[in-house]
């Protein structure tokens, strides 16, 4: 049977664009891609990229204050959200254009409309056009999840936070994961009175306990009003403000309430069940290591599969899929020892096992260094850096490396190479320190603080 395309990709985010570009540009496949919103997907348009730019924006106030200690005569007269937001839009437009160019240069045909799956080889565009393809790739990502409760429609999510017409004076963030904790720090840094309610006993569940405590303590010292063990019962409109009633009976007024309580796969009304594709409990597309669904012609990559919801993982899944199906190289992504960063303030970089997870597997040694970093110590700040290595007592292999520090995301990328290569504690130790730096502590920790 002759198909219109070798591959039809639904979703123009990190995973879909990489798969389309490699399939068409590197392997000569005839490829089409449909995107219903803006090209670039969550990461570029309403995720990692605008978030990181907001992190940068939020750090300048403190940096300007510290500059005084370094002899600079500086006066900070406040933050202009409108100016920042206009510049942000310019940058996002530039990036969206770059994504479109990439696809155009690779020879991918794009459709700026929603596509749904009709059957294992057919998609329907929103304008009614039906197109056929030998393979269909689902790369539609996820969307924020807000639980249903009284007044939940008054809450915004990370999708809307980038489009506020004005910066709030007082904001509530609900949740304790990556997005909630990052935005609590961003808003706090921009001068917003920021409250964060989290239902559990400590934010960033799943990460190394000592690091979570260190980050939460620092966030609170910097001004974030964090309340753990607290959830919302209802939200009510009160003039221009929102009244939030918490589980402990207390209530407070906020200009903005943002929910960052997880994300769900974007598979609603996509036609997948009708085509016979198995979905999981959360609506995720169930795939094997080659990103293939139970229907042999239908594949899925990225957040919609609910494996590891990180851009670089979606990119690798998309690339491996394209190489396997169109490049004659059967290969999978690698989901083991994935370094990542949480862009809280302080920033957190992590790779491998937490102390708790490592200890559950066998005897370990834990090396920790905590100190006040030179740059901010000079300016009189009390913030502390934390460097931690979790080492297997038997093999000496570094099982986990965790860094809470300015630029921890940059540092963990490098440390991640060593950990991925299976470096031992002694490999770290025989590496000469770069002095003076923060990361030199990673190679100068002599005695374990704990053995378990
Ligand atoms: P997370 O899964 O990280 O966090 C969700 C948070 O919401 C948890 O604290 C959870 O609590 C809480 N929660 C869930 N349901 C409810 C509920 N019904 N009521 C109250 N609280 C609730 O999700 P995020 O939305 O923060 O991020 C989604 C994913 O996006 C991340 O897992 C990550 O993979 C990715 N991401 C990565 C970033 C990075 O690399 N820097 C940045 C942003 C996102 P509990 O812990 O009790 O379950």
């Amino acid at each position: 049977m002759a198909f219109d395309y070798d591959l039809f990709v639904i979703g123009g985010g990190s995973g879909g664009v990489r798969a389309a570009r490699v399939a068409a540009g590197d392997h000569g496949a005839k490829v089409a891609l449909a995107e219903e919103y803006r090209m670039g997907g969550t990461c570029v348009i309403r995720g990692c990229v605008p978030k990181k730019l907001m992190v940068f924006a939020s750090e300048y106030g403190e940096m300007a204050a510290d500059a005084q200690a370094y002899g600079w005569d500086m006066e900070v007269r406040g933050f202009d959200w409108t100016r920042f937001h206009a510049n942000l839009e310019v940058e996002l437009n530039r990036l969206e254009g770059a994504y479109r160019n990439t696809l155009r240069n690779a020879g991918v045909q794009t459709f700026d409309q929603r596509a749904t799956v009709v059957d294992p080889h057919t998609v329907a565009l929103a304008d009614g056009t039906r197109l056929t393809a030998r393979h269909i790739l689902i790369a539609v990502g996820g969307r924020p999840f807000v639980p249903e409760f009284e007044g939940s429609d008054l809450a915004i999510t990370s999708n809307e936070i980038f489009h506020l017409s004005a910066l709030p004076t007082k904001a509530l963030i609900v949740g304790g994961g990556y997005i909630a904790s990052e935005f609590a720090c961003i808003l706090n840094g921009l001068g917003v009175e920021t409250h964060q309610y989290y239902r559990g006993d400590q934010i960033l569940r799943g990460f190394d306990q000592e690091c979570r405590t260190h980050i939460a303590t620092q966030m609170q010292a910097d001004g974030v009003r964090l309340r753990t063990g607290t959830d919302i019962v209802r939200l009510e409109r009160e003039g221009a403000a929102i009244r939030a009633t918490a589980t402990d009976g207390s209530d407070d007024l906020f200009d903005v309430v943002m929910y960052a309580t997880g994300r769900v796969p974007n598979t609603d009304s996509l036609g997948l069940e009708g085509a016979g594709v198995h979905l999981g409990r959360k609506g995720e597309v169930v795939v094997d290591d080659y990103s293939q669904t139970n229907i042999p012609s239908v594949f899925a990559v990225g957040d919609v599969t609910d494996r590891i919801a990180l851009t670089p993982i979606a990119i690798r899944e998309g690339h491996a899929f394209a190489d396997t199906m169109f490049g004659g190289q059967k290969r999978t992504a690698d989901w083991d020892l994935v370094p990542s960063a949480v862009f809280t303030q302080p920033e957190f970089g992590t790779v491998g096992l937490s102390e708790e997870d490592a200890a559950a597997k066998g005897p370990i040694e834990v090396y920790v260094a905590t100190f006040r970093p030179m740059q901010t110590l000079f300016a009189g700040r009390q913030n502390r850096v934390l460097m931690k290595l979790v080492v297997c007592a038997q093999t000496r292999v570094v099982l986990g490396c965790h860094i809470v520090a300015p630029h921890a995301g940059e540092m963990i990328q490098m440390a991640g190479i060593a950990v991925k290569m299976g470096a031992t504690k002694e490999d770290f130790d025989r590496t000469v320190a770069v002095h003076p730096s923060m990361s030199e502590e990673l190679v100068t920790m002599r005695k374990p603080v704990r053995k378990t």
Side-chain angles (χ1 to χ4, degrees), residues 237-403:
R237 170 69 61 200
E238 200 163 305
I242 299 166
R243 181 171 298 282
T245 305
T247 35
D248 63 2
S250 67
D251 64 303
D252 204 348
L253 284 171
F254 302 95
D255 304 318
V256 163
V257 176
M258 175 177 140
Y259 260 69
T261 42
R263 295 176 62 85
V264 289
N266 242 340
T267 47
D268 291 359
S269 315
L270 204 60
L272 290 168
E273 293 107 316
V277 176
H278 285 166
L279 300 184
R281 202 173 47 84
K282 290 164 74 181
E284 74 276 18
V285 182
V286 179
V287 290
D288 66 12
D289 283 354
Y290 293 93
S291 299
Q292 190 168 31
T293 70
N294 61 305
I295 301 293
S297 59
V298 181
F299 293 75
V301 295
D303 290 6
V304 75
T305 62
D306 196 31
R307 286 179 277 186
I308 301 180
L310 295 175
T311 293
I313 292 291
I315 289 172
R316 284 176 177 241
E317 289 168 357
H319 204 133
F321 156 77
D323 283 349
T324 302
M325 298 311 295
F326 303 102
Q329 312 158 41
K330 196 166 190 241
R331 65 183 196 86
T332 69
D334 180 352
W335 298 272
D336 192 30
L337 290 173
V338 173
S340 71
V342 186
F343 293 98
T344 37
Q345 294 163 42
E347 199 167 300
F348 180 31
T350 177
V351 63
L353 297 177
S354 65
E355 178 180 341
E356 296 72 36
D357 288 349
K361 286 179 187 287
I364 54 167
E365 288 183 359
V366 179
Y367 296 78
V368 178
T370 161
F371 55 95
R372 291 204 284 160
M374 187 183 200
Q375 187 175 8
T376 42
L377 171 64
F378 186 81
R381 292 200 183 275
Q382 299 302 314
N383 59 300
R384 297 184 80 81
V385 158
L386 185 147
M387 305 268 171
K388 178 165 181 175
L389 292 177
V390 179
V391 177
C392 175
Q394 279 147 7
T395 63
R396 308 295 299 150
V397 167
V398 176
L399 301 172
C401 175
H402 312 285
I403 304 173

Side-chain angles (χ1 to χ4, degrees), residues 101-171:
N101 282 341
T102 297
L103 291 170
R104 196 178 305 120
N105 294 341
V108 176
Q109 183 170 5
T110 53
F111 297 97
D112 289 311
Q113 50 184 309
R114 182 171 171 80
T116 52
V117 177
V118 177
D119 66 40
H121 292 287
T122 311
V123 299
L125 299 180
D127 66 8
T129 311
R130 288 192 172 209
L131 297 164
T132 59
R134 184 176 300 279
H135 303 291
I136 296 172
L137 179 68
I138 310 298
V140 295
R143 62 172 192 281
F145 157 79
V146 179
E148 276 192 29
F149 60 94
E150 191 184 335
S152 58
D153 55 312
L154 295 173
I156 65 163
T157 68
S158 59
N159 280 353
E160 291 80 39
I161 193 86
F162 302 112
H163 301 295
L164 293 176
S165 53
L167 200 62
T169 305
K170 183 173 168 185

